[in-house]
Amino acid sequence: MAPRANWKGQLKVDQLLCPVALYTAASTSERVSFHLLNRKTGNRLSREFVDSDTGKPVAREDQVKGYEVSSGNYISFDPEEVASAIPENDKTLNVTRFVKCNEIDDVYFDRPYYLAPDGDAESFALLRQGMEAEKVVAIAEAVLFRRARKLLIRAHDGGLIATTLNFDYEVRSAAEVFGELPAFQFDKEMLALARHIIETKMGTFDPAGFDDRYDAALAELIKAKIEGKPLKKPAAHRTAEVIDLKEALRKSAKLDASRGKSAETGRRSAKSRKAG
């Protein structure tokens, strides 16, 4: 079954217009999820909003949004008043500029969407190939899901990916976290050991190998519960021993070297068996 588009509109670069559609690129819908139940009856619970002062339930038609101007003091807004602040949606992804790929700080990345043509694929393909050849990404603006958003659009496989961006005020300054880190000076041996460890663990980015151990454990828990089997207790993790940093680097380097020799021995044995 073909995926359903989250949004349809047009991609605009000056006078170039291209009908496009956005599709969810990442979703948590496949994760194991739970509902809240009444322990005594086993029935599912429903959420109910109550007045914080009287404790009485409030009907949906009497619920309005409010903004706290001071402690315990609110001003309320009717739905029509809130709707008046929603920007006009012209269903257009308007590209405002192109920037080099290496200028993007991914701390601003929010949510990715696949961006595909929705009809005329020729202009879409031209734009995509041009961006790929020039190694640039596009910065666009649009009204998505009732909010004015900025998006970063980049070439990906045969199409484009549009990633909504966090606004600058939403991203905390790195100085808040790293500003008071002390400066260290390391000798040549420590830097060489660190470089060796990094080089021995170099690989490729392979999301297929990512393991969501918590979700898998929940699935096993549910299966055991359904089948009436005893529940397995998770293995306790040992606390790592704190040792001298240089000694830890040396031990890691020796361990990686021995692993490398074992792997090479294994490859040679396999070649010998094939040759025989």
Side-chain angles (χ1 to χ4, degrees):
M1 180 184 296
R4 188 176 68 176
N6 298 77
W7 179 92
K8 288 187 177 184
Q10 58 184 359
L11 181 63
K12 182 177 185 294
V13 185
D14 287 336
Q15 301 304 308
L16 177 66
L17 294 175
C18 174
V20 292
L22 285 177
Y23 300 86
T24 299
S27 172
T28 60
S29 62
E30 297 301 315
R31 290 180 183 172
V32 173
S33 60
F34 293 101
H35 298 291
L36 287 177
L37 307 177
N38 183 330
R39 184 189 296 273
K40 295 180 179 180
T41 66
N43 297 328
R44 183 174 173 180
L45 302 180
S46 58
R47 179 175 295 179
E48 188 175 51
F49 290 94
V50 300
D51 189 294
S52 60
D53 187 25
T54 67
K56 294 181 178 180
V58 179
R60 177 178 291 274
E61 60 270 20
D62 293 325
Q63 298 172 15
V64 295
K65 294 183 182 295
Y67 180 83
E68 189 172 24
V69 293
S70 60
S71 181
N73 184 25
Y74 301 87
I75 52 175
S76 61
F77 294 86
D78 290 327
E80 295 78 14
E81 293 175 313
V82 176
S84 67
I86 298 174
E88 184 179 351
N89 189 352
D90 61 0
K91 293 289 185 178
T92 299
L93 275 171
N94 184 37
V95 174
T96 58
R97 60 191 178 279
F98 294 95
V99 299
K100 291 294 185 181
C101 292
N102 59 7
E103 292 184 16
I104 304 301
D105 187 344
D106 60 9
V107 73
Y108 287 91
F109 287 6
D110 177 33
R111 186 180 294 274
Y113 295 89
Y114 292 125
L115 183 62
D118 187 38
D120 175 24
E122 185 178 18
S123 56
F124 179 92
L126 174 63
L127 178 61
R128 185 208 165 279
Q129 291 181 29
M131 290 170 60
E132 187 174 48
E134 294 299 317
K135 294 182 173 56
V136 297
V137 297
I139 303 297
E141 54 189 15
V143 175
L144 294 178
F145 320 123
R146 299 164 64 90
R147 286 195 63 190
R149 303 301 305 257
K150 299 290 185 181
L151 299 97
L152 179 143
I153 301 174
R154 59 187 172 90
H156 179 79
D157 287 344
L160 297 171
I161 282 188
T163 302
T164 53
L165 298 175
N166 294 313
F167 290 103
D168 192 52
Y169 74 87
E170 295 175 310
V171 176
R172 295 176 59 186
S173 169
E176 294 180 23
V177 180
F178 305 135
E180 297 182 5
L181 285 179
F184 295 97
Q185 293 293 331
F186 299 105
D187 59 36
K188 291 182 179 179
E189 182 189 1
M190 293 184 74
L191 291 173
L193 287 168
R195 184 165 56 249
H196 171 76
I197 293 170
I198 293 170
E199 289 173 351
T200 56
K201 292 189 178 295
M202 286 297 293
T204 57
F205 179 70
D206 181 18
F210 295 174
D211 180 22
D212 188 346
R213 291 183 293 174
Y214 176 65
D215 204 67
L218 286 178
E220 287 295 321
L221 175 68
I222 292 170
K223 181 180 178 183
K225 194 85 169 181
I226 292 173
E227 296 175 353
K229 295 180 179 179
L231 305 180
K232 296 180 181 179
K233 291 185 177 181
H237 292 281
R238 294 177 57 189
T239 303
E241 182 183 359
V242 179
I243 58 177
D244 177 75
L245 177 57
K246 184 176 287 190
E247 186 61 26
L249 289 170
R250 287 172 178 160
K251 287 185 176 181
S252 293
K254 288 180 181 178
L255 184 60
D256 288 330
S258 64
R259 286 172 177 167
K261 288 181 181 178
S262 298
E264 181 61 28
T265 301
R267 285 193 291 269
R268 287 177 181 174
S269 298
K271 288 182 180 178
S272 298
R273 287 193 297 270
K274 288 182 180 179

